[in-house]
Amino acid sequence: MKAIPYPSQEAEEKLAHIATRKMGADPSLEKRVFEILETVKREGDAAVIRFTRQFDAPSLGEDRLTVREEEIRAAYDEVDTNFLDILRTAIANIEAFHRQQLHPSHFMTKPDGTFMGQMVRPVSAAGLYIPGGKGGETPLISSVLMNGIPARLAGVKDLALATPPRKDGTINPYLLVAAKEVGVTRIHKMGSAWGIAALAYGTASVQRVDVVVGPGNIYVALAKKLVSGEVGIDLLAGPSEILVIADAHARPDYIAADLLSQAEHDPLASAVLISTDRALAEKVTDSVRDQLKRLPRCDIATEALERYGALFLVKDVEDAIRLSNRIAPEHLELQLRDPWSHLGKIEHAGAVFLGDATPEAVGDYFAGPNHVLPTAGTARFASALGVENFLKRTSVISYSKTALERDGRAIIRMAELEGLGAHAASVRIRLEG
C-alpha cells in the first residue's frame, strides 16, 4: 500500500477509483434476475424447486422445501454446548442493544377535544435471507442474529428464513440452531433470486412476507431492488469497507489486522488507512505484508488491497476526519490517543469503533449494535438495520366539531389553492350543515 498525501491529485484519483465499487447497473444481469422473479411469480414452487435442483441440491424433494421440526431437533444434537453458550450470550447482547430502539405508540388530546397520535405496529411477516457460505460449510450465523433479533423484538409474528441448501438438501445445523434460538418460525431451502422471489410473491409452500432483509450476492441484491415496493427491504448493500484513522500512538499490527479483516471478504472490498504519521503508515504496510502470509484467504485480501486499498497521509486528525466524512465509510475505526474527543466530529459513518481494544469484528458478532450497515457512501443518508425496519406507523386523527369550525376555513382555502374542489367541499358541507 503506497502512502498518498492528501489533498493531492493522486489522492483524488484514488478516491474516484474506490468509488467505482458501487453496484452499477448491468442491464443484461438485471434482465436475467427479472426473468427469474417472473418465473417464480408464474410457476411458484415448481420454479423454486427447479432452480434449487439446478444450482444447489440436485435431489431436493418437492416436499422438502421447508425445514421440518425433526431436522431442527437433530441439529441441536449435532452442535456443541460451547457454541450454544456463545450463541446465547451474543443473542443477549444484541437484544439488549436493540431493545432501546423500541418506541411505543403515542397519543395526545387537546382542550378542544381534538385527538391525534400514532400507532406503532409490526409488519405481519418478515423474510430473512441468509447466504449459503461455501456450500453451507461456513454458516453465516451472525447474519441470522443481526437480521432476526430486531424483527422479533419489533413483534413480528411470522419470521421466515430463506437459505440455499447444501448439495445433499440439508441446512448446516449451526444455522438451524441459530435460527431457532432467535425465534424464526419457518425455514425454507431456497437461495439466490428465486428465494427472494418466493418470499416477496409467495408460493403454495412459502407464504409471502411484508419485508425482506439480509445480505447476498449480486443476484440477491438485484432481486431485492426489483421487488422493492412490492415488499419493504433493508438496504442495497455493496462490498464491505473499513476506514481507519490513526495517529502515532496506534499499533501498526492492530491496524493491519483490521484492514485485512475486511479485505478478506471480497475482491471488491475496500480497506483505507488515513494517518497523520508517515512512520506509522510504513509500519502498517510492512505488517500487512507479514500478516497476509498467514491468512487463509490471502488471495482475496491481496486482490482487494491492490485494487481498493489506500493509505492517505494528512497533516492532522481534523483533516483525517474531514476526509472520512467525505467517504462516509461502512466501518470507521478511530485508533487515536484520545478517540472520544473526536467522536462528535464524525458526521457520516455506518458504525464507529473507538480505541485499540475495539476491532471491527466485535461489532460483527458480539457487542450488540447491528452489523447490517450502509456502504458505498450511503451512510450520508442511511442507517444500520434496526427494529424500525420491521415497524410501521399509522397516524390517528379525531377532530371535534369545535376544532373543525375553527380550522375549516383555512383547510378549504388550502384545498382550493391546490385546485382540489372535492377536498374543500368535504369540509364545507360539515360547516354548513
Side-chain angles (χ1 to χ4, degrees):
M1 296 172 68
K2 175 188 174 185
I4 303 172
Y6 179 87
S8 68
Q9 181 60 35
E10 185 178 7
E12 293 300 326
E13 291 173 359
K14 187 66 175 179
L15 288 167
H17 176 66
I18 292 173
T20 63
R21 295 163 54 258
K22 294 180 181 180
M23 187 181 71
D26 181 338
S28 62
L29 188 56
E30 189 161 319
K31 181 175 182 292
R32 172 59 180 147
V33 171
F34 177 78
E35 290 170 351
I36 292 171
L37 299 180
E38 289 297 301
T39 301
V40 173
K41 185 188 291 187
R42 185 174 60 251
E43 300 179 20
D45 283 349
V48 175
I49 292 291
R50 186 167 68 251
F51 285 128
T52 302
R53 286 175 176 172
Q54 181 180 353
F55 292 99
D56 297 308
S59 59
L60 184 72
E62 294 181 3
D63 61 340
R64 302 305 295 270
L65 188 59
T66 300
V67 171
R68 299 172 177 176
E69 193 60 38
E70 57 264 31
E71 294 178 76
I72 297 175
R73 288 197 297 268
Y76 273 88
D77 293 332
E78 292 187 59
V79 304
D80 56 273
T81 55
N82 177 251
F83 164 73
L84 274 175
D85 290 341
I86 292 171
L87 178 70
R88 288 166 179 168
T89 302
I91 288 172
N93 291 344
I94 297 165
E95 281 184 347
F97 179 85
H98 286 80
R99 199 174 295 280
Q100 304 303 311
Q101 298 176 349
L102 289 168
H103 299 293
S105 301
H106 60 86
F107 303 97
M108 60 183 291
T109 303
K110 291 184 176 182
D112 62 11
T114 301
F115 177 91
M116 63 191 70
Q118 190 174 75
M119 294 192 303
V120 181
R121 295 285 185 267
V123 299
S124 297
L128 317 179
Y129 183 84
I130 308 297
K134 289 189 175 179
E137 299 313 312
T138 55
L140 297 184
I141 295 160
S142 62
S143 291
V144 177
L145 307 189
M146 294 297 183
N147 288 275
I149 290 171
R152 179 166 55 79
L153 287 175
V156 179
K157 295 291 191 295
D158 181 15
L159 198 51
L161 186 149
T163 190
R166 295 187 288 192
K167 192 172 183 178
D168 63 359
T170 64
I171 303 294
N172 188 290
Y174 288 88
L175 194 64
L176 290 178
V177 169
K180 184 67 174 179
E181 292 287 316
V182 161
V184 168
T185 52
R186 52 187 167 105
I187 303 170
H188 302 294
K189 301 174 182 179
M190 55 189 191
S192 195
W194 49 94
I196 299 297
L199 290 173
Y201 304 135
T203 70
S205 300
V206 182
Q207 186 175 342
R208 64 168 294 176
V209 300
D210 303 306
V211 173
V212 175
V213 300
N217 62 16
I218 186 65
Y219 284 88
V220 171
L222 286 173
K224 286 170 65 178
K225 174 185 174 183
L226 291 171
V227 301
S228 177
E230 186 84 25
V231 294
I233 65 170
D234 46 356
L235 46 80
L236 297 174
S240 295
E241 54 198 38
I242 186 170
L243 190 154
V244 180
I245 296 177
D247 58 19
H249 296 83
R251 285 269 302 259
D253 54 340
Y254 287 6
I255 297 170
D258 294 353
L259 294 174
L260 290 171
S261 74
Q262 296 307 294
E264 74 171 351
H265 268 297
D266 188 315
L268 294 176
S270 173
V272 175
L273 169 62
I274 306 175
S275 180
T276 59
D277 187 80
R278 180 175 290 275
L280 173 78
E282 292 172 353
K283 291 176 183 177
V284 169
T285 298
D286 291 340
S287 187
V288 166
R289 188 181 301 112
D290 291 341
Q291 292 186 42
L292 266 173
K293 299 172 185 176
R294 304 188 297 273
L295 200 64
R297 296 167 69 92
C298 173
D299 291 346
I300 294 173
T302 298
E303 184 177 353
L305 290 173
E306 288 176 351
R307 297 175 65 187
Y308 302 111
L311 198 168
F312 298 111
L313 289 174
V314 294
K315 66 177 181 179
D316 53 35
V317 174
E318 283 64 33
D319 271 0
I321 291 174
R322 279 192 285 271
L323 177 54
S324 174
N325 283 333
R326 177 181 169 188
I327 295 171
E330 177 187 17
H331 306 105
L332 171 62
E333 291 189 359
L334 300 183
Q335 296 201 31
L336 302 168
R337 181 180 59 82
D338 182 16
W340 289 98
S341 66
H342 299 286
L343 179 59
K345 304 167 190 172
I346 303 303
E347 298 175 359
H348 309 302
V352 183
F353 304 79
L354 292 92
D356 287 347
T358 318
E360 183 276 336
V362 302
D364 272 349
Y365 298 106
F366 217 74
N370 210 287
H371 77 196
V372 181
L373 301 167
T375 61
T378 59
R380 293 177 295 105
F381 55 83
S383 305
L385 183 76
V387 171
E388 61 272 12
N389 289 89
F390 304 95
L391 295 172
K392 49 194 177 63
R393 291 166 292 280
T394 302
S395 298
V396 178
I397 306 169
S398 175
Y399 249 48
S400 64
K401 185 172 180 58
T402 299
L404 186 62
E405 289 174 346
R406 182 196 64 212
D407 297 342
R409 297 300 170 189
I411 297 168
I412 289 170
R413 173 66 172 151
M414 293 181 73
E416 288 176 340
L417 284 170
E418 293 188 354
L420 298 173
H423 281 64
S426 71
V427 176
R428 187 180 294 110
I429 196 171
R430 286 168 169 80
L431 297 181
E432 294 175 351

